[in-house]
Amino acid sequence: MSEKVFIFDTTLRDGEQSPGASMNIHEKFRLAQQLVKLKVDVIEAGFPTASAGDFECVKNIADNIRGAQIAALARCNVKDIDNAWAALKNGENPRIHTFLATSEIHMKHKLRLSREQVLELAVASVRHAAKYTGNIEFSAEDASRSDLDFVCQVFRAVIDAGATTLNFPDTTGYALPDEFGAKIRYLIENIPNIDKAVISVHCHNDLGLAVANSLAAISNGARQVECTVNGLGERAGNTALEEVVMTLRTRPGQVADVHTDIVTEHIYPTSRLVSTITGMVVQPNKAIVGANAFLHESGIHQDGVLKERSTYEIINPKDVGISTSNIVLGKHSGRHAIRDKIKELGYGELGEEELNRVFARFKAMADLKKEMFEEDLEAIVMDEVLRVPDSFKLLHLTAMSGSRSLPTAAVRLLVHGREKETASLGIGPIDATFRAIAQLTGTSSKLLYFSVSSITGGTDAQGEVMVRIEDNGKVVVGQGADPDIITAAAKAYLTGLNRLEYLKER
Ligand code: KIV
Ligand code: ZN
């Protein structure tokens, strides 16, 4: 019987540390629901001591999500561990994940602690966590650059103190696969009580080797992989969940005789959800979930795939939830069909009120467009369901531009419940629209990033706009979709401003 590799998803914690990828409480909850569908084993929901908001997000997930273990991060101190437990305690098999650096560089410059002090603190912290739960993970931060015998010493001691998962992170993404695999083997061969714990790895992608290092670790006995959807995370990101899972599935028995419980058909919807919520667009040539991952451009390849798919495809797109006949519904589709499609796309059962709003928007758009694609429906769901309360709402927009006219925009908004309108000039119609919105909302935020792309093909496609804006050190993303790109841009800007407002109010 093949052994199980546990999938520990840290999209909500390490993934969110990606600059600009912050998520609000509703978005985190929605993503946690999707991760349960994907059947990850552990959801790391956040770092409760980082902020009151983080605490609330972890608590909301622990209180309400069932079907996965919920973990929370804590430094090795009493306050962090108590806080983590306070947020987690109503969860299903909650896990306290405590960490302390073990490398000379970190101990000397960051912690200013000796080896003896680190060992003592790690043991004391795990003992403290053990008062609350038997499900304790200990991470030796920067383990891959630590003295291996010291890591063995710490791991042995924390197992005796109650740790059940030992995580060996490549915090700086410095390791090479053979070397990393050999370190995992060394741990197994040199820690006498290692059979009482699961060895985990947590790799960063600074050299593009996070997935390769994680696989090398599995080959050598690791049985938990920490990863994020789309490889989201600090700097160059973390191990991409979809790449590890699909490698193990596509090459069975080659890495090791192992399997995961991931329902792979939910991979693509989860990837879309993460990229829409965070505004972190997936690069088109990204393995497994990139827009081009299953496209065949060259004539020879197309011919081969038409004759026999396996000539150039090692994965069936359906296995990761990419449907190949993508035209989904038309203007005659009924409410039931829309509801079923939304469920199939991984967005779960919408409430009656939400479904009514989505259905009305879908019908209106289907009247304008010839073909409606899954992405069109998704964009509407994202817009209607996954958003914070509207402090600012677009009521009306007229923008004018042309090769000879001065770009102008007239905008009417609901601003905290009151109608306001103004007109503005700009370098182009989007600039004019943004100036008018800025004037009406009184925002002092800075636009850091703006991108516009087409959701599907054709001139009648919806435009999708992503913005990243910053105010007082807080960075948020906003997204908006509409067949009219100026309206899409206005919606994206307003979503971002609503998020900033939401953060301010909290
Ligand atoms: O990269 C890292 O070392 C971490 C730990 C907290 C596990 O994220
Ligand atoms: Zn990390």
Side-chain angles (χ1 to χ4, degrees):
M1 243 281 266
S2 82
E3 280 182 63
K4 171 164 163 165
V5 170
F6 291 85
I7 297 295
F8 175 113
D9 182 277
T10 183
T11 311
L12 292 170
R13 200 276 298 168
D14 223 353
E16 207 213 10
Q17 286 174 221
S18 191
S22 61
M23 300 173 234
N24 66 42
I25 192 164
H26 309 292
E27 294 165 338
K28 285 192 174 179
F29 188 74
R30 180 67 201 87
L31 182 52
Q33 288 177 312
Q34 180 64 22
L35 292 170
V36 169
K37 280 220 181 94
L38 191 61
K39 268 187 130 215
V40 306
D41 298 285
V42 186
I43 298 173
E44 187 165 45
F47 182 9
T49 304
S51 69
D54 236 35
F55 181 94
E56 217 183 302
C57 289
V58 175
K59 180 160 168 42
N60 184 35
I61 290 173
D63 287 356
N64 298 299
I65 293 282
R66 293 294 173 263
Q69 298 176 44
I70 308 298
L73 189 68
R75 286 166 298 188
C76 275
N77 65 57
V78 169
K79 180 175 162 236
D80 273 31
I81 293 169
D82 288 350
N83 249 341
W85 184 250
L88 282 174
K89 63 180 181 225
N90 299 324
E92 183 169 317
N93 196 358
R95 174 180 297 191
I96 297 177
H97 176 195
T98 189
F99 73 102
L100 190 61
T102 50
S103 67
E104 293 301 327
I105 306 174
H106 279 234
M107 289 190 294
K108 181 169 170 210
H109 300 290
K110 185 182 83 174
L111 300 175
R112 303 212 166 96
L113 293 176
S114 66
R115 284 189 179 203
E116 293 68 32
Q117 287 171 314
V118 164
L119 179 62
E120 210 175 291
L121 189 55
V123 169
S125 301
V126 170
R127 278 211 188 106
H128 184 65
K131 291 182 194 149
Y132 295 125
T133 174
N135 189 354
I136 302 167
E137 172 165 338
F138 174 80
S139 284
E141 192 188 10
D142 204 19
S144 59
R145 295 192 301 166
S146 303
D147 174 71
L148 211 45
D149 288 320
F150 179 54
V151 177
C152 289
Q153 193 187 354
V154 173
F155 276 4
R156 179 180 184 173
V158 294
I159 294 173
D160 283 341
T164 43
T165 302
L166 298 173
N167 188 31
F168 190 87
D170 182 26
T171 303
T172 55
Y174 180 73
L176 300 174
D178 284 352
E179 166 200 72
F180 195 65
K183 286 184 194 239
I184 300 303
R185 173 106 346 248
Y186 189 88
L187 298 180
I188 291 174
E189 286 168 358
N190 289 279
I191 302 175
N193 51 0
I194 196 69
D195 56 311
K196 297 204 175 74
V198 172
I199 294 196
S200 167
V201 287
H202 172 114
C203 297
H204 279 269
N205 204 30
D206 299 64
L207 294 173
L209 293 171
V211 170
N213 285 334
S214 302
L215 294 171
I218 294 172
S219 264
N220 284 281
R223 289 296 176 263
Q224 176 178 283
V225 171
E226 303 199 354
C227 43
T228 59
V229 176
N230 299 341
L232 199 68
E234 285 260 7
R235 308 183 308 276
N238 289 53
T239 301
L241 179 151
E242 60 280 2
E243 295 179 22
V244 169
V245 167
M246 290 314 291
T247 302
L248 295 179
R249 182 178 154 144
T250 308
R251 304 296 307 272
Q254 297 300 302
V255 176
D257 189 13
V258 294
H259 67 275
T260 72
D261 282 349
I262 294 296
V263 182
T264 60
E265 289 76 11
H266 287 305
I267 284 180
Y268 186 65
T270 312
S271 160
R272 287 280 308 163
L273 184 65
V274 168
S275 91
T276 320
I277 286 178
T278 60
M280 304 292 281
V281 180
V282 174
Q283 76 193 61
N285 60 331
K286 160 90 178 60
I288 318 293
V289 292
N292 295 350
F294 297 98
L295 289 185
H296 302 279
E297 185 70 18
S298 99
I300 297 174
H301 287 206
Q302 286 174 353
D303 180 54
V305 169
L306 285 174
K307 287 178 176 145
E308 165 55 44
R309 197 187 56 76
S310 61
T311 48
Y312 288 102
E313 268 183 17
I314 58 165
I315 296 171
N316 187 334
K318 283 200 187 112
D319 292 346
V320 292
I322 297 178
S323 96
T324 35
S325 71
N326 204 0
I327 300 172
V328 277
L329 304 150
K331 62 178 179 181
H332 302 297
S333 306
R335 233 164 150 268
H336 278 304
I338 304 274
R339 189 190 359 230
D340 288 352
K341 194 72 208 176
I342 291 169
K343 273 209 272 186
E344 191 191 313
L345 288 170
Y347 290 92
E349 188 81 58
L350 300 191
E352 279 304 296
E353 170 55 25
E354 288 169 339
L355 185 62
N356 288 345
R357 291 203 310 268
V358 169
F359 188 56
R361 287 260 314 260
F362 181 88
K363 283 292 198 191
M365 194 177 289
D367 269 341
L368 298 173
K369 274 181 107 230
K370 283 198 299 285
E371 296 163 327
M372 290 292 281
F373 294 87
E374 285 178 352
E375 287 87 345
D376 291 316
L377 183 56
E378 267 189 310
I380 297 172
V381 173
M382 296 302 301
D383 212 28
E384 287 296 332
V385 179
L386 280 174
R387 62 179 196 201
V388 295
D390 285 334
S391 300
F392 313 118
K393 195 169 161 45
L394 182 67
L395 296 177
H396 182 78
L397 163 66
T398 311
M400 283 196 313
S401 64
S403 55
R404 290 194 174 197
S405 58
L406 215 51
T408 321
V411 177
R412 186 182 306 155
L413 297 185
L414 212 52
V415 178
H416 296 294
R418 278 188 48 222
E419 275 194 35
K420 285 187 169 185
E421 63 185 339
T422 192
S424 186
L425 299 174
I427 307 288
I430 291 177
D431 186 45
T433 303
F434 277 34
R435 282 171 195 263
I437 291 176
Q439 208 179 310
L440 292 175
T441 56
T443 182
S444 51
S445 61
K446 264 206 315 261
L447 182 68
L448 303 178
Y449 173 81
F450 176 92
S451 85
V452 56
S453 53
S454 144
I455 292 190
T456 57
T459 49
D460 65 348
Q462 288 195 77
E464 183 174 44
V465 173
M466 294 278 183
V467 299
R468 191 170 296 145
I469 52 183
E470 189 256 348
D471 194 10
N472 249 327
K474 290 250 173 301
V475 178
V476 296
V477 293
Q479 63 283 108
D482 198 275
D484 174 65
I485 57 163
I486 303 177
T487 306
K491 283 183 179 170
Y493 191 29
L494 287 167
T495 307
L497 292 177
N498 279 323
R499 284 189 172 156
L500 279 177
E501 204 63 13
Y502 181 75
L503 290 178
K504 254 192 245 160
E505 278 163 17
R506 283 156 54 88

